[in-house]
Amino acid sequence: MLRTVRAAVKRAPRRTTYSLSASFVTSSKRCAERTKRGEKQGEKPEETINFNDQYSFTDAPDPDHVKYKRVTANDLEHEREPPRRVKMLVRDFIEDSLYNPQYGYFSKQATIFTAVEPIDFSSVRNMAEFEREVAERYASYGVDGDGPGKQIWHTPTELLKPWYGRALARCLVSEYLLKFFPYEDFVIYEIGAGNGTLALDMLDYIREEYPDVYERTRYNIIEISENLASLQRQKLESAHPCVTVHNKSIFRWDVREPAPCYFVALEVVDNFAHDMIRYDLRTLEPYQGLVTVDAKGDFSTYYTKVTDPLISSFLGLRRYLNHPPPISRLLKLSSTFRTFYTNLPFAPNLSPPEFIPTRLLTLLRTLRRHFPRHRLLLSDFSSLPDTIPGINAPVVQTRYQNTTVPCTTLFVKQGYFDIFFPTDFEKLCDMYEHILEQPLPLADLERERPRLTPLSTTASPLAEGNSFFSSYHPKNRRTPVDGVPSSSGLPVGERKSAVYTHAEFMKTYADLGKTRLRSGENPLLDTYENVKFLF
């Protein structure tokens, strides 16, 4: 499985708490290990890496937290060390932990497992032997020393190269040939391209199998990591001059792509920052979670009424799409029952924490605004084992002495832990299609006017608008855009995205004979059962 979590060590006790205070504050005790060793006056305390502790109903919130400076992940980009005496939204804490250029996990710790030579699947006896082969390749990275080890993780692109990348290329080429060839260029954007293996395998396939399409291919990588962007340039730009690497965050993208294009995001959105919310069980009002970091680097969480525009927008969209909040039906229906429940001894006044994909919403809006004619191919985890407590909660893990160690709290030392979330693909599909239906701002609409192609320059009922033929509109089609015909020349609208399991997608587009083992088993189908595609 991708980033398999192995419970090989005894887990630390939980630290997350349910609050009973009127100010909705959850406070953390200092790490028990630090308490045991003591701190002599004037002595610099030993650095804490993990902050786990038992559930507690008696901790008092830090009275100084209201004085701390409110910061965002963007504010901390130029800091060389994790900040102290600050507070931030949970999504900013996650984003800073993973992507800070100085100490972030992906900037300094993560190493992508790279297969120098592809696995010869036809010579592998069965899945057990395949797993041993993978383990041996992992072992080639050497033994970890003291402290956090090499943060190695693999992707299906590397493990199943080149056949995984070729399957995705076949998917996109088939769509392009059907809709746009030869009138439009074949434009691809990829985010989270890692070490560039997927791009290399896709472009090699296109050049070998579809040379005419390759001549019209423009492959763009949007990469937040400077180190990975440099690696991608070295690997790709000489082999495939059609590649351009843009070293910037997709959330800061400001260039419009007017042409039809394909947007690829594989195992990327699982690392997108989420916000944490909890509901007041008396009023069902949502509260946003914030993290405070004190002078010693210890973490606390507290909750305030929702004021962040992105959180408000996500919750509003969820209500519009009839995606219910994760609250018991009885609590939602009866205020009397809520009063009775919250007055029980030791009853929490807040619901369990829920992690909402606010950064994913930002991505969808970016696609709508800057890539108005895109088609999205996205794949990631639909479920995960060993998550921390909470709704839609992440896995938080690191490697220590060649063993993957899962944690039971989100609040761990910034930069040393991978934090990744499952994705509810059905809800994502609803959100995505709804956002694509929204009108652009007037200034964007003026720039949005479609370019003329041979399909739209002839006399056609298109001039009468997209309702000329019939008022009927298929449910599996998007609303047609006036002046933008389909490959048939009719304004029928783009096919809506659909959700596929990993096996369903690969059965459609992969050459399964290339990855079949001697036993008849197939790693391309039999692994990654917790992964889905949106296309």
Side-chain angles (χ1 to χ4, degrees):
M1 296 172 67
L2 297 174
R3 293 183 188 154
T4 303
V5 181
R6 297 188 294 276
V9 298
K10 183 178 179 181
R11 297 185 193 173
R14 291 179 176 137
R15 170 185 168 276
T16 307
T17 66
Y18 287 102
S19 168
L20 293 179
S21 65
S23 58
F24 299 99
V25 176
T26 304
S27 177
S28 65
K29 294 180 180 178
R30 293 173 59 197
C31 187
E33 187 175 317
R34 178 181 285 186
T35 303
K36 287 179 181 179
R37 68 169 178 267
E39 294 175 3
K40 297 179 182 179
Q41 188 172 5
E43 182 181 343
K44 183 178 179 181
E46 186 177 329
E47 191 170 48
T48 303
I49 290 181
N50 198 350
F51 296 80
N52 292 317
D53 214 328
Q54 297 284 357
Y55 283 119
S56 172
F57 292 92
T58 58
D59 290 347
D62 184 345
D64 290 333
H65 75 80
V66 293
K67 304 175 185 176
Y68 292 166
K69 179 183 178 182
R70 174 82 173 266
V71 297
T72 67
N74 291 341
D75 297 331
L76 301 174
E77 279 187 345
H78 301 293
E79 298 292 329
R80 304 197 66 83
E81 297 290 339
R84 303 290 175 94
R85 297 185 62 82
V86 296
K87 58 185 176 183
M88 66 192 88
L89 288 168
V90 168
R91 76 163 180 267
D92 288 303
F93 175 80
I94 296 172
E95 200 157 291
D96 180 61
S97 298
L98 294 177
Y99 299 109
N100 185 284
Q102 314 302 323
Y103 52 80
Y105 176 82
F106 287 107
S107 304
K108 299 300 179 186
Q109 300 293 332
T111 300
I112 300 174
F113 171 84
T114 303
V116 178
E117 293 294 333
I119 295 175
D120 182 4
F121 295 95
S122 63
S123 67
V124 178
R125 183 186 311 150
N126 52 30
M127 285 298 294
E129 186 173 312
F130 171 75
E131 291 171 2
R132 285 196 297 272
E133 172 70 20
V134 175
E136 289 175 4
R137 297 189 178 210
Y138 258 87
S140 66
Y141 281 85
V143 179
D144 292 335
D146 294 334
K150 300 183 185 72
Q151 303 301 305
I152 304 170
W153 46 271
H154 68 262
T155 65
T157 300
E158 288 291 345
L159 209 57
L160 303 168
K161 63 188 296 187
W163 313 113
Y164 183 86
R166 287 176 170 244
L168 271 64
R170 181 181 293 179
C171 168
L172 298 186
V173 169
S174 64
E175 287 273 317
Y176 170 70
L177 290 174
L178 177 65
K179 295 180 178 178
F180 303 116
F181 182 80
Y183 304 114
E184 302 276 5
D185 285 344
F186 186 29
V187 183
I188 301 173
Y189 284 83
E190 183 186 1
I191 58 171
N195 55 16
T197 299
L198 177 68
L200 183 65
D201 291 342
M202 290 178 65
L203 290 169
D204 285 347
Y205 171 82
I206 297 169
R207 183 167 56 188
E208 293 169 15
E209 302 294 331
Y210 300 93
D212 291 342
V213 172
Y214 183 79
E215 290 297 320
R216 303 207 60 169
T217 298
R218 291 191 282 124
Y219 201 107
N220 299 272
I221 293 175
I222 304 173
E223 177 58 60
I224 189 174
S225 167
E226 185 176 348
N227 293 336
L228 288 177
S230 177
L231 178 62
Q232 292 156 8
R233 292 188 183 102
Q234 295 173 16
K235 189 171 190 174
L236 294 168
E237 289 184 346
S238 60
H240 295 285
C242 60
V243 173
T244 303
V245 178
H246 309 270
N247 183 202
K248 67 188 307 182
S249 168
I250 182 60
F251 301 121
R252 293 181 175 176
W253 189 262
D254 56 1
V255 179
R256 174 174 294 270
E257 175 56 78
C261 62
Y262 297 90
F263 201 93
V264 179
L266 303 184
E267 199 178 340
V268 177
V269 301
D270 61 315
N271 286 120
F272 278 6
H274 286 48
D275 273 292
M276 185 168 70
I277 63 168
R278 297 169 78 172
Y279 285 86
D280 179 353
L281 294 181
R282 295 180 291 260
T283 65
L284 300 187
E285 182 179 8
Y287 281 72
Q288 62 189 21
L290 291 95
V291 184
T292 64
V293 188
D294 68 15
K296 296 175 181 176
D298 290 336
F299 304 113
S300 297
T301 56
Y302 75 101
Y303 298 86
T304 67
K305 292 185 177 182
V306 174
T307 57
D308 178 70
L310 187 55
I311 296 177
S312 297
S313 182
F314 179 88
L315 295 176
L317 177 57
R318 181 160 76 175
R319 286 191 297 271
Y320 179 83
L321 296 173
N322 293 318
H323 294 167
I327 300 174
S328 164
R329 186 167 176 267
L330 280 175
L331 290 175
K332 285 190 285 188
L333 291 177
S334 172
S335 60
T336 303
F337 184 79
R338 291 199 299 270
T339 302
F340 168 77
Y341 177 75
T342 54
N343 285 325
L344 291 174
F346 302 106
N349 59 355
L350 294 178
S351 65
E354 179 193 6
F355 296 87
I356 57 174
T358 41
R359 270 309 199 185
L360 180 56
L361 176 59
T362 303
L363 172 69
L364 301 183
R365 289 173 168 174
T366 299
L367 294 178
R368 175 69 184 101
R369 179 159 192 167
H370 296 298
F371 304 87
R373 300 182 67 190
H374 78 278
R375 185 86 193 173
L376 176 62
L377 174 58
L378 183 150
S379 178
D380 226 304
F381 302 108
S382 58
S383 62
L384 288 168
D386 294 311
T387 59
I388 66 173
I391 311 299
N392 194 42
V395 171
V396 181
Q397 68 180 32
T398 190
R399 275 173 58 90
Y400 179 77
Q401 295 184 352
N402 295 85
T403 300
T404 300
V405 182
C407 302
T408 53
T409 177
L410 175 66
F411 304 111
V412 290
K413 182 171 176 60
Q414 300 96 313
Y416 283 91
F417 294 80
D418 194 4
I419 303 169
F420 54 106
F421 294 81
T423 296
D424 187 322
F425 273 75
E426 286 69 30
K427 291 180 179 178
L428 166 60
C429 189
D430 288 348
M431 280 201 314
Y432 175 58
E433 291 298 332
H434 173 76
I435 288 171
L436 292 185
E437 291 176 356
Q438 303 311 300
L440 290 168
L442 184 59
D444 293 333
L445 285 172
E446 289 300 316
R447 295 195 298 268
E448 176 69 1
R449 296 184 185 277
R451 296 176 301 152
L452 296 179
T453 71
L455 289 175
S456 58
T457 54
T458 56
S460 166
L462 287 171
E464 302 296 329
N466 59 53
S467 60
F468 176 83
F469 292 96
S470 171
S471 60
Y472 168 73
H473 184 67
K475 291 183 178 180
N476 66 339
R477 292 277 176 177
R478 296 172 185 160
T479 303
V481 178
D482 288 344
V484 181
S486 70
S487 55
S488 65
L490 300 177
V492 295
E494 284 279 342
R495 175 181 59 84
K496 288 185 177 180
S497 292
V499 176
Y500 306 90
T501 66
H502 188 272
E504 288 171 343
F505 186 90
M506 289 301 159
K507 285 177 181 178
T508 303
Y509 296 108
D511 185 349
L512 297 179
K514 299 295 186 181
T515 54
R516 187 173 292 115
L517 310 184
R518 283 156 49 194
S519 64
E521 297 169 292
N522 198 319
L524 195 57
L525 299 178
D526 300 336
T527 54
Y528 309 109
E529 293 179 352
N530 63 333
V531 168
K532 290 184 178 180
F533 279 84
L534 177 71
F535 183 64

